[in-house]
Amino acid sequence: MNYHPLLVALGLAIVIVTLTSLRREHIRTEYSVSWLLLGVILTAFASFPNGLERLSGAFGLQPTVGFSILGGILVAALTFEISHVVSRLRDENVMLAQRLAILEYRIQQFDKQDRGATS
Amino acid sequence: MTSGLLIIAPAWNEEGAIGGVVRSVRQILPDTPILVVDDHSDDATASIAERSGASVLRLPIHLGLGGCVQAAYKLAFELGYEYVIRVDGDGQHPAEEIPKIYDALVKTGYEVVIGSRFVGADHAHTSVARSVGINFFRAMLKPILGKPIHDPTSGFVGVNRRALQVFSRTFPLAWPEIEVLVVLQRRRFRFCEVPCAMKPRATGKSSITPVKSIQYMLHVLLGVFVNVLKADPVARRPRSS
């Protein structure tokens, strides 16, 4: 079975969905690059299987295996990037929540002092 | 007797215990401020703490123990406190033991003093599973810290201003007790343990489940490993104390 058209469609779908999400501002530009890269690489290798065959051959692999490994690497890279972003957001979230709580606390203390001074 | 000292009590859904914790601290140390850090509880923890005489730092979202304690450390540092002693909001740490930790902080000058239920205490209320975990972490931490630690999971901890400065910048967010010890070692901070009696939690249920215990072990192991990797070999050599 020739699976290349299916992979081309999948690659194009990734590119189109990513670009649409970018246009609608559902995803930020800096986090779209990996997805676009994944879509383009998938489309390119599925459209020009000779390139993938040569690349796989250089490592002594069947093209199917080479394609799976390549896909796995790209997905792993994407997942790692997402973990990185989520971790940073979590840290920032904690910091902001702490800062907000501290500011709220200090405002309340000032209010109490103020009320004490005026009464 | 306790100038420059702030007592902090992190609490999450502890409406049954927090009033008693605050009142007992105020009874033993009437002039010492107590700050309850409400980790976005669903119940009346914050209002009960306030009515009992504590100031309350209300977190807008649930941060977990580390984030909760660090928020208190940040506030204490900004307000200029010299010493902070943490007691748990569930009533396990008797207020009568706080002066022992405070005295040790002042007299030794150590950055951290840990209230230990295993040093010279008659009874240690702890489950079999927890005892196994504690023994495991004792064995693991001894070569890292360069000295034995008896109660590595104790949350009854006092810190001085030098430690406050560091902890307000960097502090483990999930389960801080054990990772903090490795952070201390990295900073060449000194710590000691003082014997403290501890009680079973006053009311409610512990949030620790068997699954969480495994998560805890794995998380702490990874945290310790990462902190050891960050350490530079010179800084890890224990200071003479």
Side-chain angles (χ1 to χ4, degrees):
Chain A
M1 182 191 155
N2 187 0
Y3 54 86
H4 291 123
L6 187 67
L7 291 175
V8 171
L10 181 64
L12 287 175
I14 291 173
V15 172
I16 290 165
V17 169
T18 308
L19 289 175
T20 310
S21 300
L22 266 173
R23 195 174 63 81
R24 290 180 182 165
E25 298 183 353
H26 292 167
I27 181 172
R28 293 182 61 85
T29 318
E30 58 267 39
Y31 306 128
S32 67
V33 177
S34 313
W35 286 106
L36 287 172
L37 205 63
L38 176 70
V40 169
I41 290 174
L42 195 64
T43 310
F45 277 128
S47 307
F48 306 101
N50 287 346
L52 180 67
E53 278 165 22
R54 275 194 215 143
L55 189 68
S56 302
F59 292 98
L61 299 169
Q62 292 289 325
T64 331
V65 177
F67 198 83
S68 304
I69 291 174
L70 182 68
I73 291 170
L74 288 171
V75 170
L78 261 176
T79 312
F80 187 79
E81 192 203 5
I82 291 167
S83 299
H84 181 80
V85 171
V86 169
S87 301
R88 206 189 63 221
L89 285 175
R90 159 87 177 143
D91 285 348
E92 287 171 355
N93 212 13
V94 168
M95 200 186 69
L96 283 172
Q98 290 174 334
R99 183 51 42 202
L100 176 64
I102 289 170
L103 287 174
E104 203 173 50
Y105 175 88
R106 297 193 77 166
I107 289 168
Q108 278 172 1
Q109 297 302 310
F110 283 130
D111 275 353
K112 276 183 195 166
Q113 281 172 14
D114 203 34
R115 277 201 298 272
T118 51
S119 62
Chain B
M1 173 193 143
T2 52
S3 62
L5 170 66
L6 174 70
I7 307 296
I8 61 166
W12 182 49
N13 294 338
E14 295 287 1
E15 65 179 3
I18 198 67
V21 171
V22 174
R23 282 190 295 275
S24 64
V25 170
R26 288 179 59 80
Q27 197 179 354
I28 302 292
L29 302 163
D31 300 325
T32 303
I34 173 162
L35 176 77
V36 170
V37 191
D38 176 40
D39 197 6
H40 202 65
S41 299
D42 300 318
D43 63 10
T45 299
S47 53
I48 290 173
E50 222 154 35
R51 281 204 302 275
S52 307
S55 304
V56 179
L57 181 65
R58 294 166 199 261
L59 294 173
I61 51 172
H62 180 63
L63 294 185
L65 183 59
C68 191
V69 172
Q70 192 190 30
Y73 284 161
K74 283 183 177 179
L75 179 62
F77 185 70
E78 287 177 18
L79 295 178
Y81 283 99
E82 286 297 323
Y83 304 102
V84 171
I85 295 176
R86 173 190 148 195
V87 296
D88 278 352
D90 57 12
Q92 290 192 64
H93 302 147
E96 306 84 60
E97 303 284 12
I98 293 173
K100 283 189 197 171
I101 295 183
Y102 178 75
D103 288 345
L105 277 170
V106 175
K107 282 178 189 157
T108 62
Y110 286 1
E111 284 79 8
V112 174
V113 173
I114 299 165
S116 168
R117 76 205 97 174
F118 301 115
V119 178
D122 295 336
H123 299 288
H125 298 280
T126 187
S127 65
V128 176
R130 189 163 183 175
S131 295
V132 171
I134 287 170
N135 280 315
F136 172 76
F137 285 119
R138 275 180 190 160
M140 185 186 73
L141 288 168
K142 192 176 173 184
I144 297 170
L145 302 177
K147 69 180 200 179
I149 173 141
H150 298 87
D151 199 353
T153 62
S154 171
F156 201 8
V157 175
V159 299
N160 71 7
R161 193 159 173 79
R162 280 191 298 277
L164 268 186
Q165 186 180 17
V166 169
F167 292 158
S168 45
R169 284 201 310 267
T170 171
F171 197 73
L173 289 180
W175 292 289
E177 289 87 0
I178 293 173
E179 272 185 69
V180 156
L181 293 169
V182 186
V183 175
L184 290 179
Q185 187 61 14
R186 246 175 50 211
R187 302 277 173 172
R188 304 190 71 196
F189 282 176
R190 294 158 303 167
F191 72 91
C192 66
E193 291 179 279
V194 294
C196 286
M198 292 193 198
K199 298 187 284 192
R201 60 185 291 115
T203 58
K205 248 173 50 179
S206 168
S207 59
I208 298 167
T209 61
V211 174
K212 280 194 178 171
S213 300
I214 294 167
Q215 267 185 324
Y216 174 83
M217 296 275 283
L218 294 174
H219 188 106
V220 169
L221 273 174
L222 184 62
V224 168
F225 180 64
V226 169
N227 274 292
V228 169
L229 287 182
K230 283 182 192 169
D232 90 73
V234 176
R236 280 185 55 206
R237 232 171 270 147
R239 282 199 300 195
S240 56
S241 55

